[in-house]
Amino acid sequence: MRPPPGGEVDEEEREFSFWQDRTRVFLQPIAAPSILGLFGLATATMMVGAWMAAWYGTARLPLNLYPIIFVAGGLAQFLAGMWSYRARDGLATAVHGIWGAFWLAFGLLLATVPALLPPRGGVADSAFAFWFVALCVITGLCALAALADNMGMAVLLGLLSVGAGFLAAGFFSGAGWPIRVAGWLWVIGSAVALYVAAAMMLENSFRRTILPIGRYSMAANIPGRRATRPLEYRQGQPGLRIGQ
């Protein structure tokens, strides 16, 4: 005897409801990892971007930037990417993971191969250009994904992706002007990263929107409105409520 139309769907829905009613979720509170990740990203891209735009320094990247690139842009951001797994944020995991890995690799290149020195603008280097081809494509895909969340992150990732594209073009051709354009784009992107990170931090501190970041919910973009309502106990030790 054939089951009535939709019988399998109804059975699947009943089974899903059965397990849903009997499932318990144990929450482990975690702060937004992108606050740290975006501050680390802004620090590295601002310093290196300003150098690429020829705002300071010589043709060689200053030695005193190596540690901050490795720690702030690389280590801190990579850790934020790994913590984003626990926050179940695939976009933040991808962004901070790949940019953290990039800055770690760049810092290692600068620190461990001093005899070779990093590539210079105006000198063609196809192998190094492919670093930025990969970074451009991955960041561009992340920018598309960010459109589903908020415009602030999408604008930031779009600027970084286009900047990485100009860097790739500069190292493929050996021309200096694409690298200067990339520097300007990265500096602008670092300013956007600072804004988005500050907005997330202020929202976490004041429990309401202070700086809008372009969410699709109109109420979430109005300063003073509560964008999210945390699930927590009103009193208690750290871990039972947001804060310390």
Side-chain angles (χ1 to χ4, degrees):
M1 180 178 180
R2 288 186 175 182
E8 292 184 4
V9 176
D10 294 340
E11 181 63 29
E12 182 179 347
E13 184 64 30
R14 283 195 295 271
E15 182 178 357
F16 180 83
S17 299
F18 175 85
W19 287 111
Q20 186 179 51
D21 293 340
R22 289 159 178 78
T23 299
R24 297 294 180 267
V25 177
F26 295 90
L27 299 178
Q28 182 175 2
I30 182 172
S34 286
I35 297 175
L36 172 63
L38 289 174
F39 279 136
L41 177 64
T43 300
T45 53
M46 175 179 61
M47 293 180 175
V48 177
W51 171 75
M52 291 191 303
W55 291 6
Y56 69 93
T58 63
R60 300 294 186 187
L61 187 67
L63 289 173
N64 57 4
L65 291 188
Y66 292 10
I68 198 69
I69 289 173
F70 187 85
V71 177
L75 182 60
Q77 193 174 182
F78 191 79
L79 287 173
M82 297 305 99
W83 288 324
S84 296
Y85 275 115
R86 306 192 72 175
R88 302 174 65 184
D89 190 334
L91 174 62
T93 298
V95 172
H96 301 311
I98 195 62
W99 276 87
F102 167 78
W103 288 120
L104 283 172
F106 192 65
L108 286 172
L109 174 67
L110 298 176
T112 61
V113 199
L116 297 180
L117 296 177
R120 292 186 300 170
V123 178
D125 190 327
S126 298
F128 196 59
F130 274 105
W131 283 38
F132 298 101
V133 170
L135 199 62
C136 173
V137 173
I138 295 172
T139 308
L141 293 174
C142 291
L144 290 176
L147 290 173
D149 186 22
N150 66 72
M151 289 301 298
M153 185 68 78
V155 169
L156 162 63
L157 296 175
L159 288 168
L160 296 180
S161 177
V162 175
F166 273 101
L167 273 172
F171 282 114
F172 273 127
S173 65
W177 69 265
I179 295 178
R180 288 192 292 274
V181 171
W184 277 88
L185 290 171
W186 277 18
V187 170
I188 296 171
S190 71
V192 178
L194 287 173
Y195 177 88
V196 175
M200 296 175 69
M201 182 175 62
L202 291 172
E203 181 183 326
N204 182 262
S205 298
F206 289 94
R207 309 291 193 269
R208 62 191 69 253
T209 298
I210 303 299
L211 299 174
I213 54 176
R215 290 192 176 97
Y216 287 107
S217 169
M218 291 300 296
N221 292 311
I222 300 176
R225 289 287 186 90
R226 178 173 291 184
T228 58
R229 184 177 180 181
L231 183 63
E232 63 180 11
Y233 291 107
R234 292 184 180 275
Q235 290 82 27
Q237 61 187 12
L240 298 179
R241 64 186 297 273
I242 291 180
Q244 300 186 52

